[in-house]
Amino acid sequence: MSTPPASESGLTELTSAFIAGQDASSVPDHVIERVKHSILDALGCGVYGRPNEAVQPYLEYTRANGGTPVSTVFGSEFKVDAPSAALMNSTFIHTTELAEGFTRALVHPSTVIVPAVMAVAERDGRSGMDVLVATSVGYELLIRLGMTVGASLVLEQGLHPPATLGGFAAAATLSSLAGFDEAQTRNALGIVACNIPTALMAAGYDHATVKDMFQGQAAHIGITATDLARNGVTGIHDWIGSWYRSVPRKFDLAPIPDRLGEYWHTGSGGIRIKTRPVMAMAQPTMGSLYDLLEQREIDPNQITDILVQSSKRIELGRIYHPAEIVSARASIPFLVASVLHNRDRFIADPYFLRFLDEDMLVDKEIGALQDLVRLETDDEFDFNLERATPNAEGPYMKFEARVTITLASGETIVTYKDMFAAGTGNMTREQVAHKFTAVTEESLGAEKAAQVIDAVWNLDKAPDVGRLAALLSEW
């Protein structure tokens, strides 16, 4: 491999200096506030995912091999070592497909960062403000890294971007939490670059539950790397140049230095909290159909054609007749047919928490209707998602879908949704808390849910995260 250009080595120095140079006085208040929203949302998803049957084999393995009991596993009476706790809690979050995402960057920051920082902060007795600052730093790096590769990493290489990049984010977060200097930070990131998992999107298409642990692996290696760096292990010096020239086929490093430390993507509104546990472009598709079906009934037996238009990422949802719930959450044809055949059930479950079940996968009427669903890229939608630039009027990207339904009578029904315009990038405290309460109702109950919400809103005042961790232990 050729020697990376000096400019790439300079980016390694720049990012290390940024990570090492942040504290409570340098991270803007609006970023700290946004990170509180993210932490609460991630914890809610983790609680909701804890009972999922798919994660139980991981839980059994972790309990048997969890090492020194220092960090909380959600909903459990036992503790394990910090890397194992992070892997397990991240898996709980990931299995739900309900965690936030920075859509343009194709990453889910909270799924990898929050479990990692919570596990280490509990182990090391770090303050709530330390957690908020470190989380902000990790978020900012992960978002920028995601923007360097965009959708090509998944569409052309078949890799899972949140996990493939997540180890760097976890290491950046934990380097900040530990108060590392630039050299230690560079070592931690350099260790990650040599060990980060290249998780395959094929797992989702093959209905493989191994996908649930992808981001947990990234959190695990992030913790291991920073612990090793603390103990004197060194990593490759120019992790950016070396890693980028080994893994992504296409990349543009410009988003990394662009106003780094001055402009925070973390507080820009680009992070969008999910309101339904479905993947990729199925989210605005489901949003548009909810708005339509809330207003009128449509007889699915009278439908002759359904056209769904969105960005190029719609190809991720081109799955017909999924065999498992894992892939059903990504299948736009299946999801469209399911909600059209189960309107009342869909409207009654706005967070999509109980809607999908195994019976739908073999329902012949749903199977026939999904064959009528056509997927098409809209170039304007693709530009708005991938390349539109910031402006002063609101979120600078759009996350759009248009659904056109044709009936046997000749009537054409069109419905459209932009999830950013719907406010999911700037949900209020009350809205985030409402989702948290809804997804944790069966596990935590109202009283304990209220205590967790209060603990997160006041995390900047907490001397350590022990109280919050205790609330998330055995229920």
Side-chain angles (χ1 to χ4, degrees):
M1 185 178 67
S2 60
T3 302
S7 60
E8 293 173 4
S9 179
L11 286 182
T12 298
E13 306 294 339
L14 181 67
T15 53
S16 298
F18 166 74
I19 294 164
Q22 304 305 314
D23 57 28
S25 66
S26 62
V27 180
D29 290 344
H30 74 281
V31 174
I32 295 293
E33 174 66 18
R34 183 58 186 77
V35 164
K36 288 182 180 181
H37 292 207
S38 295
I39 290 174
L40 182 62
D41 188 62
L43 298 180
C45 292
V47 170
Y48 177 60
R50 170 66 169 79
N52 192 313
E53 183 179 347
V55 304
Q56 300 314 306
Y58 297 117
L59 187 59
E60 293 172 11
Y61 179 85
T62 299
R63 183 168 189 167
N65 299 276
T68 307
V70 292
S71 299
T72 295
V73 175
F74 297 161
S76 304
E77 77 283 2
F78 61 91
K79 293 186 178 183
V80 295
D81 61 85
S84 296
L87 189 153
M88 198 67 255
N89 293 332
S90 174
T91 301
F92 294 155
I93 297 170
H94 193 179
T95 192
T96 67
E97 286 296 343
L98 194 53
E100 66 176 18
F102 194 95
T103 308
R104 177 174 291 185
L106 263 175
V107 292
H108 302 286
S110 67
T111 309
V112 61
I113 292 172
V114 173
V117 75
M118 284 291 294
V120 174
E122 182 182 6
R123 180 193 71 183
D124 296 349
R126 303 310 299 257
S127 74
M129 181 54 83
D130 290 340
V131 168
L132 293 168
V133 170
T135 301
S136 301
V137 169
Y139 265 55
E140 195 61 26
L141 180 65
L142 180 57
I143 291 167
R144 289 168 180 268
L145 294 180
M147 293 173 73
T148 65
V149 293
S152 66
L153 197 66
V154 59
L155 292 177
E156 297 179 25
Q157 290 188 244
L159 299 182
H160 185 258
T164 304
L165 299 169
F168 294 123
T173 302
L174 301 174
S175 294
S176 174
L177 186 73
F180 279 5
D181 60 22
E182 293 180 34
Q184 290 173 302
T185 299
R186 192 169 58 245
N187 276 326
L189 291 164
I191 293 170
V192 168
C194 295
N195 292 278
I196 196 167
T198 49
L200 301 178
M201 276 301 301
Y205 304 135
D206 288 350
H207 330 303
T209 55
V210 67
K211 178 179 177 291
D212 293 335
M213 69 177 288
F214 279 178
Q215 292 179 80
Q217 288 179 296
H220 189 289
I221 187 58
I223 295 175
T224 303
T226 50
D227 284 348
L228 290 174
R230 182 187 288 108
N231 289 348
V233 176
T234 58
I236 55 175
H237 184 91
D238 180 20
W239 65 270
I240 288 181
S242 300
W243 186 83
Y244 272 88
R245 295 191 175 278
S246 298
V247 180
R249 295 173 189 160
K250 294 181 180 180
F251 59 89
D252 175 5
L253 297 175
I256 296 177
D258 180 31
R259 298 168 291 167
L260 183 64
E262 299 175 11
Y263 179 83
W264 289 75
H265 291 284
T266 304
S268 68
I271 303 171
R272 191 187 59 77
I273 287 180
K274 277 190 178 184
T275 52
R276 294 184 182 88
V278 295
M279 294 171 61
M281 308 320 296
Q283 295 171 53
T285 303
M286 291 296 97
S288 66
L289 285 171
Y290 189 88
D291 291 349
L292 172 65
L293 295 175
E294 194 176 31
Q295 299 299 318
R296 63 172 291 180
E297 294 187 32
I298 297 175
D299 183 352
N301 297 312
Q302 295 301 308
I303 296 174
T304 59
D305 182 73
I306 304 171
L307 173 64
V308 181
Q309 296 168 294
S310 196
S311 78
K312 289 179 181 177
R313 299 188 196 182
I314 201 171
E315 292 303 320
L316 297 172
R318 193 179 289 279
I319 302 171
Y320 288 82
H321 302 278
E324 303 284 347
I325 294 296
V326 173
S327 53
R329 288 178 175 147
S331 169
I332 292 177
F334 169 78
L335 290 168
V336 168
S338 296
V339 302
L340 287 169
H341 266 290
N342 296 275
R343 172 190 178 268
D344 293 343
R345 185 172 167 182
F346 179 44
I347 298 303
D349 187 9
Y351 292 119
F352 220 58
L353 301 180
R354 302 168 187 85
F355 181 82
L356 292 178
D357 61 37
E358 300 287 343
D359 291 340
M360 289 182 176
L361 299 173
V362 295
D363 186 301
K364 292 183 179 180
E365 291 186 329
I366 292 175
L369 187 60
Q370 65 183 289
D371 288 333
L372 299 180
V373 178
R374 297 182 293 120
L375 307 184
E376 182 179 281
T377 296
D378 183 290
D379 290 339
E380 181 181 353
F381 290 179
D382 192 65
F383 175 85
N384 290 340
L385 177 61
E386 308 289 359
R387 297 181 297 281
T389 55
N391 61 71
E393 297 176 359
Y396 56 86
M397 62 189 85
K398 293 183 178 181
F399 189 34
E400 304 165 280
R402 180 190 299 116
V403 180
T404 303
I405 300 172
T406 304
L407 303 180
S409 65
E411 180 184 3
T412 298
I413 306 166
V414 180
T415 183
Y416 162 90
K417 189 78 168 185
D418 170 17
M419 297 305 293
F420 280 119
T424 54
N426 291 291
M427 289 172 69
T428 65
R429 280 191 174 194
E430 290 72 21
Q431 290 171 322
V432 179
H434 186 275
K435 176 190 170 184
F436 178 88
T437 302
V439 301
T440 63
E441 179 181 10
E442 293 184 4
S443 296
L444 295 185
E447 182 178 354
K448 184 169 280 191
Q451 292 175 333
V452 174
I453 292 167
D454 180 72
V456 173
W457 293 155
N458 291 285
L459 198 56
D460 51 320
K461 304 178 184 68
D464 60 61
V465 299
R467 174 175 176 265
L468 178 56
L471 289 169
L472 296 164
S473 62
E474 187 176 11
W475 303 320

